[in-house]
C-alpha cells in the first residue's frame, strides 16, 4: 500500500476535519513511530505507528459514526431535492460511507454511518433482530386498546404477516417509547396509523445497546468507540 500524508492518514482513520487535524499536530498531539510530528505533509507508510492524542491509529481502518439527525435531511448517499445526512460530516471521502438503518426525512435522532458493509449488515439484517427504540409524539392520546394491539403484533396494510410484537411504554398521554426489532418501510408511522392514530414526531434514541450520545446536538456527530463498534 502506498504511503499517505500524515494529515490524510489521521483524517481517514478518525473522521476529523483537516483543520481539526492540523490544530492537533500544531499542539503536539501527534507522533509517528514515537517521534512528535510537526509536519502535516509528512509521508507516512501504512506500517508506521501513528499516535493521536495518546491513541494508536491503524492505517485505513473502517470508519464508524453516530449522528443526531435533524429534520429535513435524507438518509441516502445522494438526493435530487434534499440535503443528505452525509453532507453533515466533515470527513474525507464521504462518498465511501453509507447509512446503517435509515430514518425518514421528518424523523430525528440516532443514525449510524460507516464504510464497513459487514458491520452495517449486522445492524440492519432482519435475521439479527436488533431492537430499535423510538420516542414518538402522537396526534391523539394513546389508548390501552391500541397499546394491547401493538404489543400483540399489528397487521400493516400490504404486508403478508403481522408485525412482531412491539414494546410500548406510555411516556405521556400522547407520547410513547416504542421498541421494534424489524425495519419495515415507515414501520412506526404505519403501526400507529393501523390503530387509528398518527405520529407527529419520531426520534430514534437507541439501536441495540447503542444509545444516542446526549452531548450530540442536532446535526452533530462523533466516531464510535471500539466498545460501541463491538456491539454489532
Ligand atoms: N419508522 C418510521 O415510520 N420512520 C422511521 O424513520 C423509522 C421507523
Amino acid at each position: 500500500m502506498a504511503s499517505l500524508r500524515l494529515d490524510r492518514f489521521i483524517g481517514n482513520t478518525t473522521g476529523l476535519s483537516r483543520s481539526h487535524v492540523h490544530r492537533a499536530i500544531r499542539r503536539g498531539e501527534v507522533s509517528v513511530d514515537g517521534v512528535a510530528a510537526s509536519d502535516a505533509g509528512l509521508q507516512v507508510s501504512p506500517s508506521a505507528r501513528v499516535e493521536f492524542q495518546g491513541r494508536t491509529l491503524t492505517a485505513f481502518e473502517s470508519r464508524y459514526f453516530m449522528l443526531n439527525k435533524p429534520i429535513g435531511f435524507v438518509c441516502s448517499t445522494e438526493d435530487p431535492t434534499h440535503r443528505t445526512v452525509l453532507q453533515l460530516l466533515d470527513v474525507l471521502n464521504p462518498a465511501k460511507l453509507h447509512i446503517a438503518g435509515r430514518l425518514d426525512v421528518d424523523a430525528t435522532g440516532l443514525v449510524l454511518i460507516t464504510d464497513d458493509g459487514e458491520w452495517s449488515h449486522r445492524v440492519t439484517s432482519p435475521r439479527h433482530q436488533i431492537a430499535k427504540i423510538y420516542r414518538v409524539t402522537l396526534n391523539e392520546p394513546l389508548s390501552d386498546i391500541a397499546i394491547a394491539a401493538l404489543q400483540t403484533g399489528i397487521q400493516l396494510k400490504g404486508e403478508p404477516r403481522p408485525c412482531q410484537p412491539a414494546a410500548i411504554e406510555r411516556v405521556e398521554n400522547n407520547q410513547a417509547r416504542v421498541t421494534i426489532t424489524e425495519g419495515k418501510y415507515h414501520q412506526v408511522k404505519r403501526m400507529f396509523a393501523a390503530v387509528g392514530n398518527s405520529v407527529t414526531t419520531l426520534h430514534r434514541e437507541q439501536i441495540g445497546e447503542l444509545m444516542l450520545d446526549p452531548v450530540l446536538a442536532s446535526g452533530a456527530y462523533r466516531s464510535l468507540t471500539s466498545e460501541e463498534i463491538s456491539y454489532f
Side-chain angles (χ1 to χ4, degrees):
M1 238 181 275
S3 59
L4 199 63
R5 282 177 59 101
L6 178 61
D7 51 3
R8 278 190 158 255
F9 184 108
I10 298 170
N12 280 358
T13 50
T14 61
L16 293 171
S17 68
R18 209 175 162 87
S19 58
H20 196 133
V21 171
H22 282 196
R23 266 201 308 279
I25 293 173
R26 280 199 300 275
R27 284 199 296 253
E29 294 171 356
V30 175
S31 69
V32 177
D33 291 329
V35 179
S38 54
D39 176 10
L42 181 73
Q43 290 293 317
V44 177
S45 81
S47 62
R49 186 167 50 82
V50 177
E51 284 195 25
F52 175 76
Q53 297 176 338
R55 180 163 83 93
T56 303
L57 305 178
T58 308
F60 313 113
E61 67 188 14
S62 294
R63 296 179 287 171
Y64 306 86
F65 303 104
M66 71 159 77
L67 165 79
N68 184 0
K69 177 192 172 303
I71 284 181
F73 287 77
V74 289
C75 285
S76 51
T77 43
E78 282 175 19
D79 191 86
T81 44
H82 293 96
R83 289 170 294 174
T84 75
V85 291
L86 293 184
Q87 291 171 327
L88 291 164
L89 304 191
D90 182 15
V91 297
L92 291 172
N93 298 326
K96 294 205 167 146
L97 297 166
H98 62 269
I99 294 127
R102 294 168 179 226
L103 280 179
D104 295 337
V105 65
D106 57 355
T108 57
L110 179 59
V111 169
L112 300 177
I113 300 171
T114 184
D115 52 11
D116 180 345
E118 288 181 16
W119 185 84
S120 57
H121 181 71
R122 289 196 292 277
V123 175
T124 56
S125 159
R127 207 158 57 82
H128 291 98
Q129 300 245 311
I130 303 288
K132 272 87 53 182
I133 305 185
Y134 299 90
R135 171 99 173 228
V136 295
T137 310
L138 303 164
N139 213 18
E140 305 285 338
L142 182 58
S143 69
D144 291 341
I145 294 175
I147 293 181
L150 295 166
Q151 287 185 331
T152 305
I154 197 89
Q155 177 66 51
L156 299 181
K157 276 199 192 119
E159 296 289 341
R161 277 176 295 280
C163 294
Q164 290 181 6
I168 311 285
E169 177 198 341
R170 192 190 274 113
V171 179
E172 283 175 26
N173 249 353
N174 63 343
Q175 269 197 21
R177 189 167 281 112
V178 182
T179 305
I180 57 172
T181 52
E182 301 155 293
K184 298 185 202 300
Y185 183 63
H186 294 326
Q187 180 164 342
V188 175
K189 291 176 185 162
R190 288 164 69 207
M191 281 166 44
F192 282 97
V195 293
N197 210 325
S198 63
V199 170
T200 52
T201 69
L202 186 149
H203 180 79
R204 185 155 62 199
E205 298 181 330
Q206 195 171 335
I207 301 175
E209 290 177 72
L210 184 51
M211 284 195 260
L212 178 61
D213 188 333
V215 307
L216 291 178
S218 176
Y221 67 96
R222 69 160 170 82
S223 294
L224 297 188
T225 63
S226 337
E227 190 189 349
E228 289 168 337
I229 296 165
S230 73
Y231 292 161
F232 303 100

